[in-house]
Amino acid sequence: KVSQSAPAHCPSLLRFFQCGDGGNLLHFAKRGYEVVGVDISANRINDAKSFFEQENANAKFICSDILKLNGYKSYFDLVICHDVIEHIGNKQEMLSRIECFLKPKGLLFIGFPAWQMPFGGHQQICHSKLLSITPFFHMLPQCLYKYILSLGGENVECINELLSIKSTKITIELFEKIVAQTSFDIVDRRLYFVNPHYEVKFGLKPRRLLKPLSEMPYIRNFFSTSCFYILKRHFFFTMFITACLW
């Protein structure tokens, strides 16, 4: 869907990614996009550079905090922000920063797991096999959640990361409320019962949430393993920015 929505003329793409080797970017690079990948982790950036060298593909990778990235004002046709917003405390500030990078008619793709879904707390990163496959326990009160993680043998780094995610969690309702306070419009929304990434990981065919269930506030969060959105600026805001640039 993102590929179909993207401009066809050798466009520029910025992706804030947390996907390790940057594999999700390869498709765009081979289609002729100018690709820029950003991650706060130097190790992930190095992995991405190595992967692209192996694939003989071109991209620029920058180690930076999203909120501190400089340059690229009104530069990109498409920004992809997948599995990132649930890690950010000030989500509205993040959207405002991304807006600065987009061209007036640029598109923003955002994907995230709803907090209340079985593994919305990212507990699959636990070293304990039992905890990594235990659904919903991330929704326990923080003191009890931390105690169980400690009891399960998780190290301080893992516990702190999981508690950080708990403090910056995102729901469908919260995300759409934040978007309504920005200059973006939602042009497409897809809530998945079976995450499209599960096809590669587990061989499961992607399944969208049934429409009646997708329209049920709060309840839909428990069944949405992944939420995909495409955003663009309000029409009149786009016209204003275009006029200013001219």
Side-chain angles (χ1 to χ4, degrees), residues 167-187:
S167 69
T168 58
K169 58 185 177 285
I170 186 78
T171 65
I172 295 167
E173 292 73 28
L174 176 59
F175 176 74
E176 294 186 359
K177 179 180 179 180
I178 292 171
V179 171
Q181 296 170 353
T182 69
S183 63
F184 287 109
D185 287 323
I186 297 171
V187 296

Side-chain angles (χ1 to χ4, degrees), residues 5 52 67 92 94 103 108 116 118 147-148 166 173 194 200 209 235:
S5 301
F52 266 64
L67 301 180
Q92 190 164 349
M94 171 188 157
K103 291 180 180 179
L108 168 59
Q116 291 92 345
Y147 174 75
I148 291 174
K166 187 175 180 68
E173 292 73 28
V194 179
V200 176
L209 211 60
F235 174 75

Side-chain angles (χ1 to χ4, degrees), residues 14-18 37-41 62-72 79-101 108 110:
L14 170 65
R15 172 169 165 83
F16 296 127
F17 69 99
Q18 292 189 330
V38 180
D39 197 290
I40 198 170
S41 167
I62 302 171
C63 183
S64 174
D65 185 320
I66 293 173
L67 301 180
K68 297 179 181 178
L69 183 66
N70 294 317
Y72 298 107
V79 172
I80 299 176
C81 190
H82 189 246
D83 286 348
V84 175
I85 195 169
E86 70 270 23
H87 298 272
I88 303 297
N90 193 330
K91 304 179 195 311
Q92 190 164 349
E93 182 183 0
M94 171 188 157
L95 291 179
S96 296
R97 286 292 296 148
I98 293 175
E99 182 184 336
C100 295
F101 304 132
L108 168 59
I110 291 189

Side-chain angles (χ1 to χ4, degrees), residues 33 38 89 100 127 142 168 187 191 204 209 240:
Y33 283 70
V38 180
C100 295
H127 300 97
Q142 180 164 314
T168 58
V187 296
L191 306 181
L204 300 175
L209 211 60
F240 174 74

Side-chain angles (χ1 to χ4, degrees), residues 43-231:
N43 290 333
R44 288 175 177 146
I45 290 296
N46 290 332
D47 288 342
K49 288 178 178 178
S50 298
F51 176 68
F52 266 64
E53 286 176 3
Q54 293 171 10
E55 295 292 330
N56 196 28
N58 296 318
K60 181 176 182 179
F61 294 100
I62 302 171
C63 183
S64 174
D65 185 320
I66 293 173
L67 301 180
K68 297 179 181 178
L69 183 66
N70 294 317
Y72 298 107
K73 184 176 181 180
S74 300
Y75 187 84
F76 294 99
D77 295 283
L78 174 64
V79 172
I80 299 176
C81 190
H82 189 246
D83 286 348
V84 175
I85 195 169
E86 70 270 23
H87 298 272
I88 303 297
N90 193 330
K91 304 179 195 311
Q92 190 164 349
E93 182 183 0
M94 171 188 157
L95 291 179
S96 296
R97 286 292 296 148
I98 293 175
E99 182 184 336
C100 295
F101 304 132
L102 280 171
K103 291 180 180 179
K105 295 184 179 180
L107 297 175
L108 168 59
F109 169 85
I110 291 189
F112 61 88
W115 169 249
Q116 291 92 345
M117 77 93 161
F119 294 91
H122 289 39
Q123 61 265 42
Q124 65 272 15
I125 71 172
C126 289
H127 300 97
S128 163
K129 180 65 176 178
L130 178 61
L131 292 182
S132 69
I133 60 172
T134 301
F136 296 115
F137 84 99
H138 62 287
M139 295 176 62
L140 291 170
Q142 180 164 314
C143 57
L144 183 56
Y145 184 44
K146 184 177 181 180
Y147 174 75
I148 291 174
L149 290 171
S150 299
L151 193 66
E154 299 304 318
N155 59 40
V156 174
E157 183 180 358
C158 181
I159 291 174
N160 287 341
E161 182 174 356
L162 291 170
L163 292 179
S164 175
I165 294 170
K166 187 175 180 68
S167 69
T168 58
K169 58 185 177 285
I170 186 78
T171 65
I172 295 167
E173 292 73 28
L174 176 59
F175 176 74
E176 294 186 359
K177 179 180 179 180
I178 292 171
V179 171
Q181 296 170 353
T182 69
S183 63
F184 287 109
D185 287 323
I186 297 171
V187 296
D188 193 21
R189 182 187 77 177
R190 299 191 179 191
L191 306 181
Y192 284 92
F193 178 66
V194 179
N195 189 329
H197 290 278
Y198 292 172
E199 187 168 15
V200 176
K201 290 183 177 179
F202 311 115
L204 300 175
K205 187 175 180 181
R207 298 287 183 186
R208 292 176 66 177
L209 211 60
L210 295 175
K211 187 170 179 56
L213 188 56
S214 71
E215 299 300 327
M216 298 176 67
Y218 307 109
I219 294 175
R220 58 193 173 187
N221 289 281
F222 289 88
F223 301 93
S224 298
T225 60
S226 198
C227 310
F228 288 179
Y229 287 82
I230 293 180
L231 312 180

